[in-house]
């Protein structure tokens, strides 16, 4: 069996374990796998293939509205929780460069 086939086989097994709701040890015993094999593949399949690679940030559509008498600002909020407030007069090119650096 080639590496790709083995990986796909374990992808299916790990998915079945996650769907089962069983503790890892109980699932491994029930299906006849060694606990360390299941643990290895769970870890391997949950980490990026190449170190330092992370999914690209997702950009969402926005609608800009200005309230009367309110200063306009750009607010960038990440899924991990950080927020950056920027003055509205910054150039789009500068903001794009900032986003590339943050990715």
């Amino acid at each position: 069996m080639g590496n790709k086939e083995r990986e796909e086989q374990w992808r299916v097994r790990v998915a079945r374990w996650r769907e089962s709701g069983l503790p890892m040890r109980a699932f491994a015993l029930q299906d006849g796998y060694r606990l360390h094999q299941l643990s290895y593949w769970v870890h391997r399949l949950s980490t990026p293939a190449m170190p330092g690679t992370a999914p690209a940030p997702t950009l969402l559509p926005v609608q800009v509205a200005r309230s009367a008498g309110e200063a306009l600002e750009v607010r960038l909020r990440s899924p991990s929780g950080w927020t950056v407030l920027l003055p509205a007069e910054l150039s789009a090119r500068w903001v794009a460069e900032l986003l590339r650096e943050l990715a």
Side-chain angles (χ1 to χ4, degrees):
M1 175 183 310
N3 288 340
K4 294 229 184 249
E5 292 91 4
R6 183 177 299 114
E7 183 174 321
E8 185 54 34
Q9 183 181 50
W10 276 100
R11 227 177 256 290
V12 170
R13 290 174 180 171
V14 167
R16 283 187 32 243
W17 164 67
R18 287 193 169 124
E19 291 168 1
S20 76
L22 292 171
M24 198 179 289
R25 180 181 302 279
F27 182 82
L29 286 172
Q30 171 185 299
D31 279 26
Y33 312 128
R34 287 185 248 154
L35 177 60
H36 78 274
Q37 282 180 305
L38 180 57
S39 177
Y40 166 82
W41 282 99
V42 166
H43 176 72
R44 177 170 175 186
L45 296 172
S46 66
T47 56
M50 293 176 47
T53 60
T58 304
L59 299 178
L60 302 174
V62 296
Q63 201 171 16
V64 179
R66 187 175 194 158
S67 300
E70 186 179 328
L72 191 60
E73 64 185 14
V74 175
R75 183 180 306 233
L76 303 175
R77 193 174 296 151
S78 81
S80 62
W82 56 259
T83 301
V84 177
L85 299 174
L86 303 169
E89 47 285 345
L90 288 174
S91 76
R93 179 171 283 146
W94 189 91
V95 174
E97 183 62 33
L98 174 65
L99 290 172
R100 275 192 289 279
E101 290 297 320
L102 291 174

